Amino acid sequence: GRDASRAFVTGDYSEAGLVDDVADLSFSEVLTLQNWLSFYEKNYKFVGRVTGKFYGEDGLPTPALSHVEAMISRGTEASRRALEEKQTFPPCNAEWSSRRGGRLWCSPESGGVSRGWVGVPRKL
Protein backbone atom coordinates (compact mmCIF):
# COMPACT_ATOMS: atom_id res chain seq x y z
CA GLY A 1 0.00 0.00 0.00
CA ARG A 2 0.87 3.62 -0.28
CA ASP A 3 -0.59 6.83 1.00
CA ALA A 4 -2.40 8.62 -1.80
CA SER A 5 -4.07 11.31 0.32
CA ARG A 6 -3.46 14.06 -2.21
CA ALA A 7 -4.95 12.04 -5.09
CA PHE A 8 -8.24 11.62 -3.22
CA VAL A 9 -8.63 15.40 -3.25
CA THR A 10 -7.05 16.40 -6.56
CA GLY A 11 -8.12 13.42 -8.66
CA ASP A 12 -4.54 13.13 -9.96
CA TYR A 13 -3.84 9.40 -9.82
CA SER A 14 -0.66 9.66 -11.88
CA GLU A 15 2.67 8.76 -10.28
CA ALA A 16 3.21 12.45 -9.44
CA GLY A 17 -0.18 12.73 -7.73
CA LEU A 18 -0.03 9.54 -5.67
CA VAL A 19 1.76 11.18 -2.74
CA ASP A 20 1.07 11.99 0.89
CA ASP A 21 2.04 15.68 0.65
CA VAL A 22 -1.05 17.68 1.61
CA ALA A 23 0.68 20.70 3.17
CA ASP A 24 -0.46 23.16 0.48
CA LEU A 25 -4.11 22.07 0.28
CA SER A 26 -6.82 24.62 1.07
CA PHE A 27 -9.17 24.24 4.04
CA SER A 28 -11.86 23.07 1.63
CA GLU A 29 -9.58 20.43 0.14
CA VAL A 30 -8.50 19.22 3.59
CA LEU A 31 -12.17 18.86 4.55
CA THR A 32 -12.66 16.77 1.40
CA LEU A 33 -9.78 14.58 2.60
CA GLN A 34 -11.51 14.29 6.00
CA ASN A 35 -14.71 13.19 4.23
CA TRP A 36 -12.77 10.43 2.45
CA LEU A 37 -11.26 9.32 5.76
CA SER A 38 -14.70 9.22 7.39
CA PHE A 39 -16.02 7.18 4.45
CA TYR A 40 -13.28 4.57 4.83
CA GLU A 41 -13.57 4.45 8.62
CA LYS A 42 -17.31 3.85 8.29
CA ASN A 43 -17.28 1.32 5.45
CA TYR A 44 -14.05 -0.66 5.80
CA LYS A 45 -12.39 -2.74 8.49
CA PHE A 46 -9.19 -1.20 9.88
CA VAL A 47 -6.19 -3.47 9.27
CA GLY A 48 -3.18 -1.19 9.82
CA ARG A 49 -1.40 2.04 9.02
CA VAL A 50 0.94 2.99 6.21
CA THR A 51 4.36 3.93 7.55
CA GLY A 52 5.47 7.29 6.20
CA LYS A 53 4.61 10.93 6.60
CA PHE A 54 1.72 10.50 9.07
CA TYR A 55 2.68 7.37 11.04
CA GLY A 56 6.11 6.19 12.10
CA GLU A 57 7.38 2.62 12.03
CA ASP A 58 6.18 2.30 15.63
CA GLY A 59 2.62 3.03 14.43
CA LEU A 60 2.47 6.30 16.34
CA PRO A 61 1.29 9.56 14.77
CA THR A 62 3.93 11.99 13.53
CA PRO A 63 3.93 15.80 13.87
CA ALA A 64 2.78 15.95 10.23
CA LEU A 65 -0.47 14.21 11.20
CA SER A 66 -1.00 16.70 14.04
CA HIS A 67 -0.53 19.51 11.52
CA VAL A 68 -3.15 18.06 9.16
CA GLU A 69 -5.57 17.50 12.06
CA ALA A 70 -5.14 21.17 13.01
CA MET A 71 -5.84 22.14 9.39
CA ILE A 72 -9.02 20.05 9.50
CA SER A 73 -10.12 21.84 12.69
CA ARG A 74 -9.49 25.25 11.14
CA GLY A 75 -11.29 24.18 7.96
CA THR A 76 -14.28 22.94 9.96
CA GLU A 77 -14.43 26.28 11.80
CA ALA A 78 -14.15 28.25 8.53
CA SER A 79 -16.93 26.14 7.04
CA ARG A 80 -19.14 26.77 10.08
CA ARG A 81 -18.54 30.54 9.83
CA ALA A 82 -19.34 30.50 6.10
CA LEU A 83 -22.63 28.71 6.80
CA GLU A 84 -23.52 31.30 9.45
CA GLU A 85 -22.74 34.08 6.97
CA LYS A 86 -24.88 32.38 4.34
CA GLN A 87 -27.80 32.40 6.80
CA THR A 88 -27.24 36.10 7.51
CA PHE A 89 -26.60 37.10 3.88
CA PRO A 90 -28.30 34.37 1.83
CA PRO A 91 -27.34 34.04 -1.82
CA CYS A 92 -29.85 34.86 -4.51
CA ASN A 93 -30.30 33.85 -8.16
CA ALA A 94 -28.49 35.27 -11.16
CA GLU A 95 -28.75 34.77 -14.89
CA TRP A 96 -27.11 36.38 -17.90
CA SER A 97 -27.52 36.17 -21.65
CA SER A 98 -26.06 38.29 -24.42
CA ARG A 99 -29.55 39.04 -25.70
CA ARG A 100 -31.26 39.96 -22.43
CA GLY A 101 -28.36 41.01 -20.21
CA GLY A 102 -28.21 40.19 -16.53
CA ARG A 103 -30.86 39.72 -13.89
CA LEU A 104 -30.69 39.16 -10.12
CA TRP A 105 -33.57 38.06 -7.91
CA CYS A 106 -34.29 36.29 -4.65
CA SER A 107 -36.88 33.61 -4.05
CA PRO A 108 -37.97 32.00 -0.77
CA GLU A 109 -35.45 29.13 -1.29
CA SER A 110 -32.58 30.82 -3.22
CA GLY A 111 -29.19 29.36 -2.42
CA GLY A 112 -30.73 26.64 -0.28
CA VAL A 113 -31.60 29.14 2.47
CA SER A 114 -35.24 29.49 3.53
CA ARG A 115 -36.38 33.08 3.96
CA GLY A 116 -39.70 34.80 4.38
CA TRP A 117 -39.15 37.34 1.62
CA VAL A 118 -38.61 37.57 -2.14
CA GLY A 119 -37.27 40.40 -4.24
CA VAL A 120 -33.99 41.92 -5.35
CA PRO A 121 -30.79 41.26 -3.34
CA ARG A 122 -29.09 44.06 -1.44
CA LYS A 123 -25.42 44.78 -2.01
CA LEU A 124 -23.18 43.52 0.83
Side-chain angles (χ1 to χ4, degrees), residues 83 85-94 104-122:
L83 187 57
E85 184 173 304
K86 184 177 179 181
Q87 293 296 322
T88 304
F89 302 106
C92 290
N93 305 303
L104 298 172
W105 76 100
C106 299
S107 65
E109 296 289 328
S110 295
V113 176
S114 295
R115 64 184 76 121
W117 55 271
V118 298
V120 179
R122 296 182 329 164

Side-chain angles (χ1 to χ4, degrees), residues 10 16 40 43 45 47 72 85 96 99 101 109 122:
T10 64
Y40 281 106
N43 295 300
K45 180 181 174 188
V47 295
I72 290 170
E85 184 173 304
W96 185 89
R99 194 181 94 218
E109 296 289 328
R122 296 182 329 164

Side-chain angles (χ1 to χ4, degrees), residues 8 13 15 18 23 43 47 57 65 73 91:
F8 281 110
Y13 291 94
E15 213 40 51
L18 289 169
N43 295 300
V47 295
E57 290 186 17
L65 180 61
S73 292

Side-chain angles (χ1 to χ4, degrees), residues 13-26:
Y13 291 94
S14 70
E15 213 40 51
L18 289 169
V19 295
D20 58 6
D21 183 13
V22 296
D24 64 339
L25 295 180
S26 69

Side-chain angles (χ1 to χ4, degrees), residues 52-70:
K53 186 173 210 113
F54 303 116
Y55 291 96
E57 290 186 17
D58 56 5
L60 296 176
T62 66
L65 180 61
S66 297
H67 177 72
V68 171
E69 289 171 337

